[in-house]
Amino acid sequence: MAQKPLTKTQLVAALAEGADMDKKSAGAALDALIKIITDEVSGGGAVTLPGIGKVYCRERPERMVRNPATGEQIKKDADKVVKVTIAKALKDSVNG
């Protein structure tokens, strides 16, 4: 059975313990990291997190999609999606 993902509180506590700092500083560091990644990716850039992967924004072209309820074809406008490419080191640690 799969474990539940870490909550932000649990992540801050683990970060504080691992970096030997108080929880308030760890929470501020995590919030700053989230803001940096959000600003960079929303501006069209990419962020590489060593050992974890690369977070980037990709544009999807306009395309035709199907409404599953009615089967009707609908034109979907071009949009942007956030993608994450996982680092090989992380894949290897999970699989091996």
Side-chain angles (χ1 to χ4, degrees):
M1 185 173 198
Q3 294 179 345
K4 290 184 179 180
L6 286 179
T7 64
K8 183 177 178 182
T9 305
Q10 293 168 330
L11 183 58
V12 167
L15 181 62
E17 183 179 321
D20 195 29
M21 62 172 64
D22 61 295
K23 288 182 183 179
K24 186 174 182 180
S25 298
L30 182 61
D31 289 339
L33 180 64
I34 292 168
K35 183 176 181 348
I36 291 167
I37 293 171
T38 302
D39 291 345
E40 186 65 27
V41 173
S42 64
V47 177
T48 299
L49 301 169
I52 296 174
K54 180 178 176 182
V55 181
Y56 59 98
C57 183
R58 185 174 83 79
E59 292 187 20
R60 287 197 299 196
E62 181 179 278
R63 63 196 188 279
M64 296 300 289
V65 296
R66 185 178 150 283
N67 180 340
T70 64
E72 176 187 8
Q73 293 284 332
I74 303 168
K75 183 177 83 170
K76 187 166 188 323
D77 294 333
D79 61 349
K80 296 179 182 179
V81 291
V82 176
K83 304 291 266 181
V84 178
T85 301
I86 304 301
K88 185 176 183 332
L90 182 57
K91 287 180 190 177
D92 291 345
S93 71
V94 169
N95 291 323

